């Protein structure tokens, strides 16, 4: 996919399809939408017929494809729903619906009439960003293992109306930036969708190395021997069960843009497969546990976008990677492991492994880089999915400014996040009789909150935000029909758009 901005009506008219948004029509409303005024008389005739018969009503999700009588390609009308409920997320979904409607129909190029997607509270820049997101993400498919595919839209033109054409500079910047972000989401989804036999901890390290080479980032990979020397007992314990796919910790460093600001660490859970280990999971849905690396893969994406967009802060990315499988060398319930920062963990359940690998990664990054802020992303708990569903991530934080900055980024990007509490009650619950903390409480009470309280032990007072992305990291067939049209089967790369936005806005939110 390629997104362009163009002021010439001729470019739009020459596309294989032109997309226009339509607001939902009131019962008595008869005025023909003025955004369709540019169409030729014959096409307008067709549209009028459909409009008068109320077959085109602008309802949310409504897609109408009209072939222009003169053979100049198609006109695609996307319902935007009521004017009063319009926002950038409506545009994001509309754009994805349009490219999906054109899939397999031979349309290679598509033009969006930007004024038709621009109305309070959605500025033309916000609409442009949402269209770039919607077209790139909506047409995404994981194709690596498929021998056939239907043709998708390859190029999106954002066609400016006269009123928007006057000052293109901001619009052009928005499109250029969002193209990088959306392309990065696609890149991230391609890695996150890889199965566990391929996407081993070492493979994730290789992805980091080649990204580092391409973008000039410093990349350090710690293997088992090095992790041993560093006393990273958490990652070693979790990864110890796998003889074929040994654990890795990967660190990527982006030095910071021109207006060099603070240092932000972004840490991801990278369990390449979570069988539960000795505390083995039931077979049902275990295939989804290849997505248990989604936090770490999102960190790779965030580093890619940060470097390409030259975000102001220095950013340190850490991937805590291990495969959690049962074997004679697995860690066991009852074991006590010593982590990088010296704290000990009593293992009660080997399926609560994410927090165990993160303990080393968080401890290491705060000691080594003294960041101003730490953000972690992890598919950490089933309780998160039960509590907030499979579209919204949970945010738990020790710092209101950081938390509010992430919520602000969520509002702009459309990746939903909801803040959850972190209290002394939950801190007490993760204390252990034999070690400093325990990795499970044995009771199904507030599992998402106690997991966060556990992690707090490893950030040493650094302002910290934890994003539990267990539900939002991937989609399954069970809820696909209700998911936004830009979330296709498999990995969503949740967090890439959100955290990248946060990093881009970082100086503003920190003052
Ligand atoms: N990877 C899982 C969490 C998960 C569940 C992610 C469903 C995505 C979808 C995690 O490692 C896990 O198994 N957590 C346990 C912790 C419990 C044993 C304390 C859980 O939430 O059940
Ligand atoms: Zn687990
Ligand atoms: Zn897990």
């Amino acid at each position: 996919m390629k997104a362009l901005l163009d002021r010439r009506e001729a470019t739009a008219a020459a596309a294989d399809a032109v997309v226009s948004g339509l607001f939902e029509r009131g019962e008595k409303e008869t005025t023909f939408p003025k955004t369709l005024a540019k169409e030729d008389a014959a096409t307008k005739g067709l549209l009028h017929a459909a409009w008068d018969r109320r077959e085109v009503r602008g309802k949310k999700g409504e897609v109408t494809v009209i072939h222009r009588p003169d053979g100049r390609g198609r006109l695609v009308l996307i319902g935007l729903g009521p004017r009063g409920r319009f926002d950038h997320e409506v545009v994001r979904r509309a754009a994805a619906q349009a490219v999906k409607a054109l899939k397999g129909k031979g349309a290679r190029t598509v033009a969006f009439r930007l004024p038709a997607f621009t109305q309070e509270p959605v500025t033309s820049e916000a609409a442009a960003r949402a269209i770039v997101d919607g077209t790139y993400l909506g047409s995404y498919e994981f194709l690596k293992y498929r021998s056939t595919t239907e043709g998708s839209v390859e190029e999106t033109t954002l066609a400016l109306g006269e009123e928007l054409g006057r000052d293109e500079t901001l619009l052009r910047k928005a499109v250029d930036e969002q193209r990088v972000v959306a392309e990065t989401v696609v890149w991230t989804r391609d890695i996150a969708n890889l199965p566990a036999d391929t996407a081993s901890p070492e493979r994730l390290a290789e992805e980091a190395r080649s990204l580092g080479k391409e973008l000039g980032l410093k990349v350090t990979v710690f293997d088992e021997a090095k992790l041993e020397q560093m006393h990273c007992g958490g990652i070693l314990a979790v990864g110890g069960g796998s003889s074929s796919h040994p654990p890795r910790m990967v660190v990527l460093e982006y030095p910071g843009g021109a207006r060099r600001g603070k240092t932000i660490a972004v840490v991801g859970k990278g369990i390449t497969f979570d069988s539960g280990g000795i505390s083995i999971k039931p077979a049902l849905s275990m295939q989804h546990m290849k997505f248990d690396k989604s936090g770490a893969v999102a960190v790779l994406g965030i580093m890619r976008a940060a470097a390409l967009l030259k975000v102001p802060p220095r950013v340190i990315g850490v991937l805590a990677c291990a495969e959690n499988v049962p074997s004679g060398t697995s860690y066991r319930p009852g074991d006590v492991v010593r982590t990088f920062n010296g704290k000990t963990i009593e293992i009660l359940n080997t399926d609560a492994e994410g927090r165990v690998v993160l303990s080393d990664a968080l401890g290491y990054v705060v000691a080594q880089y003294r960041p101003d802020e730490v953000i972690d992303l992890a598919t950490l708990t089933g309780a998160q999915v039960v509590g907030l569903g499979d579209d919204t991530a949970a945010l738990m934080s020790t710092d209101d400014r950081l938390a509010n900055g992430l919520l602000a980024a969520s509002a702009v990007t459309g990746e939903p996040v909801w803040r959850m509490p972190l209290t002394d009650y939950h801190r007490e619950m993760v204390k252990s009789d034999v070690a400093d903390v325990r990795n499970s409480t044995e009771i199904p009470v507030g599992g998402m909150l106690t997991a966060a309280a556990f992690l707090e032990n490893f950030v040493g007072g650094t302002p910290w935000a934890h994003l539990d992305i267990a539900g939002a990291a991937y989609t399954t067939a069970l809820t696909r029909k209700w998911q936004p049209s830009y979330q296709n089967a498999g990995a969503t790369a949740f967090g890439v758009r959100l955290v990248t936005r946060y990093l881009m806005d970082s100086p503003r939110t920190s003052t």
Side-chain angles (χ1 to χ4, degrees), residues 269 274 276 281 292 324 350-354:
K269 167 177 173 181
D274 182 12
K281 287 183 182 293
D292 214 23
N324 187 24
T350 64
D351 196 13
E353 82 300 333

Side-chain angles (χ1 to χ4, degrees), residues 425-440:
Y425 179 60
H426 306 111
R427 292 181 180 107
E428 286 300 320
M429 277 181 134
V430 295
K431 288 190 177 158
S432 161
D433 292 337
V434 299
D436 295 324
V437 282
R438 52 181 186 170
N439 81 331
S440 161

Side-chain angles (χ1 to χ4, degrees), residues 299-310:
V299 170
L300 280 180
I302 292 161
M303 295 308 292
R304 181 183 193 269
L308 287 170
L309 295 169
K310 301 195 173 23

Side-chain angles (χ1 to χ4, degrees), residues 269 271 274 276 279 281 288-289 291-292 324 349-355 379-385 439-442 447 450 468-471 474:
K269 167 177 173 181
I271 298 299
D274 182 12
S279 316
K281 287 183 182 293
H288 296 140
M289 287 301 114
F291 296 118
D292 214 23
N324 187 24
N349 189 321
T350 64
D351 196 13
E353 82 300 333
R355 64 198 76 181
T379 47
L380 206 60
T381 65
Q384 194 279 325
V385 195
N439 81 331
S440 161
T441 57
E442 294 178 298
T450 50
D468 192 337
I469 59 168
Y474 60 92

Side-chain angles (χ1 to χ4, degrees), residues 163-375:
E163 64 274 38
L164 300 181
R166 260 175 272 129
D167 182 16
E168 279 179 37
T169 333
L170 282 176
L171 262 174
R172 204 163 286 285
K173 182 165 172 275
V175 173
D176 288 346
E177 272 178 6
Q178 205 59 30
R179 194 163 47 202
V180 172
V181 176
E183 233 170 51
T184 301
V185 172
V186 165
W187 180 90
T188 308
R189 284 183 180 180
D190 266 341
I191 302 176
N193 277 321
L194 291 172
D197 61 338
T198 305
S200 60
E202 175 53 30
R203 167 67 183 266
L204 295 182
E206 267 167 37
E207 294 288 347
R209 282 191 202 101
S210 66
L211 182 69
K213 209 166 271 169
E214 190 188 322
L215 301 179
L217 304 175
K218 184 173 171 208
V219 175
T220 316
V221 177
F222 301 106
D223 63 9
E224 311 103 287
K226 194 75 195 136
L227 290 166
E228 200 87 55
Q229 273 176 23
M230 293 163 70
H231 305 290
C232 287
I235 297 184
L236 287 167
V238 174
S242 178
S243 49
S244 48
H245 301 135
R248 297 284 182 266
M249 185 162 78
V250 184
V251 181
L252 300 95
E253 300 176 41
Y254 160 73
R259 292 173 291 154
R260 188 186 169 113
K262 49 189 181 181
T263 298
I264 301 181
V266 188
V267 179
K269 167 177 173 181
I271 298 299
T272 57
F273 188 70
D274 182 12
S275 68
I278 300 289
S279 316
I280 199 158
K281 287 183 182 293
L284 191 72
S285 300
M286 208 200 269
Q287 72 276 15
H288 296 140
M289 287 301 114
K290 70 167 184 171
F291 296 118
D292 214 23
K293 62 183 180 298
S294 298
V297 181
V299 170
L300 280 180
I302 292 161
M303 295 308 292
R304 181 183 193 269
L308 287 170
L309 295 169
K310 301 195 173 23
V311 301
R314 174 185 181 223
V315 188
I316 311 297
V318 185
L319 286 66
C321 306
E323 181 171 64
N324 187 24
V325 288
S327 78
T329 56
S330 295
Y331 77 140
R332 320 153 191 78
D335 285 359
V336 174
V337 303
R338 187 177 296 278
T339 69
F340 177 87
N341 79 352
K343 288 203 183 180
T344 53
I345 304 171
E346 180 193 10
I347 304 300
L348 292 185
N349 189 321
T350 64
D351 196 13
E353 82 300 333
R355 64 198 76 181
V356 180
V357 297
L358 286 171
S359 66
D360 283 328
L362 292 169
Y364 173 76
V365 82
V366 298
Q368 185 69 23
Y369 295 91
R370 309 223 164 270
D372 299 286
E373 294 170 1
V374 182
I375 300 167

